Amino acid sequence: MKNKQQKVPTVRLRNSYVTTVVSISMVLFLLSLLGLLILNARRIGDYVKENIGFSVILKDNVREADRVQLMKYFDASPAIKSTIFISAEQAATELQKELGENFIEFLGVNPLKPSVDIKFHAQYANPDSIARFEKEFSAYPQVEEVYYQESMVNLVNENLKKISVVILAFSALLLLISIALFNNTIRLLVYSKRFIIKTMQLVGANRKYILRPFILRGILNGVFGSVLAIFLFLGVIYIARRQMPEILQFTDGKTIAMLILLIFASGLILAGLTTVMAVNKYLGIERDRLYY
């Protein structure tokens, strides 16, 4: 009977540690998904911007040497991600495939002109930059006109800004909730030891001596919670790649590795800081208030 009574506190203590580790892992897992959402949202936005159509229509009488020189200039520009030259014949072939009929036989001549399809880097794919490039490219003697859907460029950039604001607001709210949950989890664990903390203080133990075991335990809980969160995160990535690979098409190994390091570092830092804050709270209050 006596052995059973002695085992009860040990079991409760073990259960409290397990509960703390699981709670920490859930919070870190939530933060990892949040990080994945933010990184993917930015990359998807960049992908959309970098696929905005921008065509430079060349004159019919442009010499091959002039065209090559113009292409070299485009390729050397830091704002341009890629260029594709489309001859008049290639343009006619593609249009015939889309229309399903030979319009050249009907017209008797190919009305299409050679062109260069340009894709800009995301940071340059905004209305102001594209308008500046339109003005600059239109002044070239080899260029007849520059074509792009201005309304589409404006719409894409405006929608991406709105989506970014919503994601950032949601992320900030989720981050605050996660930190609050993390803090409450550690505080509950320390709360169960508040009398031990006060007793150690009353018998003359200094602050560092009291803090040391709690910080070590907090960091250890952070390590276990981080490892569990990492396994959960990798499990979600594995399932998503098998079931819905299109969701993670913008996520590479480098991003996943960075998020794993972030999870582990966050677990250690948050566990250590919240433990210090919780212990300091009970070191600074009067003994009578420990019962409330």
Side-chain angles (χ1 to χ4, degrees), residues 249-274:
Q249 62 177 322
F250 299 100
T251 304
D252 53 13
K254 185 178 179 180
T255 301
I256 294 175
M258 183 177 66
L259 287 172
I260 289 174
L261 290 176
L262 183 62
I263 293 171
F264 193 78
S266 299
L268 296 181
I269 294 172
L270 288 175
L273 288 177
T274 51

Side-chain angles (χ1 to χ4, degrees), residues 10-289:
T10 304
V11 172
R12 289 179 178 176
L13 183 62
R14 188 184 300 116
N15 289 339
S16 68
Y17 286 145
V18 171
T19 303
T20 301
V21 169
V22 172
S23 300
I24 290 173
S25 67
M26 291 297 102
V27 172
L28 293 175
F29 174 63
L30 189 64
L31 290 176
S32 67
L33 295 181
L34 175 61
L36 188 64
L37 172 65
I38 294 174
L39 291 176
N40 273 343
R42 183 179 63 83
R43 291 186 176 182
I44 291 172
D46 290 346
Y47 175 80
V48 172
K49 285 184 176 183
E50 290 176 352
N51 281 275
I52 294 176
F54 188 94
S55 297
V56 177
I57 312 300
L58 305 181
K59 295 179 180 178
D60 286 327
N61 58 352
V62 173
R63 296 181 303 172
E64 181 67 15
D66 293 336
R67 181 188 68 79
V68 172
Q69 183 180 3
L70 183 64
M71 292 291 293
K72 287 182 178 180
Y73 175 80
F74 287 154
D75 292 335
S77 174
I80 295 176
K81 181 181 180 182
S82 64
T83 58
I84 299 176
F85 173 72
I86 301 176
S87 65
E89 293 75 18
Q90 288 176 320
T93 301
E94 292 178 4
L95 186 58
Q96 286 176 8
K97 290 180 180 179
E98 293 178 4
L99 297 176
E101 59 183 23
N102 192 341
F103 66 92
I104 295 180
E105 291 183 358
F106 176 76
L107 297 175
V109 65
N110 182 5
L112 302 178
K113 299 180 182 295
S115 63
V116 180
D117 284 349
I118 295 177
K119 305 294 184 185
F120 292 100
H121 288 289
Q123 60 266 36
Y124 296 97
N126 55 73
D128 294 337
S129 296
I130 291 181
R132 178 168 56 83
F133 287 123
E134 178 191 15
K135 184 178 180 180
E136 178 184 344
F137 296 163
S138 298
Y140 295 160
Q142 305 96 323
V143 176
E144 182 166 309
E145 66 172 321
V146 174
Y147 172 78
Y148 72 99
Q149 292 182 316
E150 184 177 357
S151 59
M152 178 65 71
V153 174
N154 293 329
L155 184 63
V156 167
N157 280 272
E158 288 176 3
N159 287 340
L160 286 176
K161 286 180 181 178
K162 292 177 182 178
I163 293 172
S164 298
V165 170
V166 172
I167 290 177
L168 286 176
F170 176 73
S171 301
L173 178 62
L174 205 57
L175 181 62
L176 290 175
I177 293 173
S178 299
I179 293 175
L181 288 173
F182 198 107
N183 184 50
N184 286 337
T185 299
I186 298 297
R187 287 181 64 183
L188 286 173
L189 181 63
V190 175
Y191 176 80
S192 64
K193 306 290 184 63
R194 64 193 186 282
F195 291 108
I196 297 176
I197 295 172
K198 205 62 181 178
T199 300
M200 294 173 68
Q201 188 179 28
L202 291 174
V203 298
N206 59 38
R207 185 178 295 269
K208 289 183 179 180
Y209 182 83
I210 297 172
L211 280 172
R212 189 181 299 116
F214 287 97
I215 293 176
L216 291 177
R217 170 52 64 177
I219 291 176
L220 193 60
N221 289 337
V223 170
F224 289 144
S226 299
V227 172
L228 182 56
I230 289 170
F231 277 110
L232 290 173
F233 176 67
L234 291 177
V236 169
I237 294 294
Y238 176 76
I239 294 173
R241 286 194 185 280
R242 289 180 62 88
Q243 302 296 328
M244 298 172 289
E246 63 277 0
I247 294 180
L248 298 176
Q249 62 177 322
F250 299 100
T251 304
D252 53 13
K254 185 178 179 180
T255 301
I256 294 175
M258 183 177 66
L259 287 172
I260 289 174
L261 290 176
L262 183 62
I263 293 171
F264 193 78
S266 299
L268 296 181
I269 294 172
L270 288 175
L273 288 177
T274 51
T275 300
V276 171
M277 292 169 60
V279 174
N280 281 332
K281 174 186 176 182
Y282 293 108
L283 286 174
I285 65 175
E286 298 178 358
R287 185 175 57 182
D288 294 339
R289 295 185 60 189

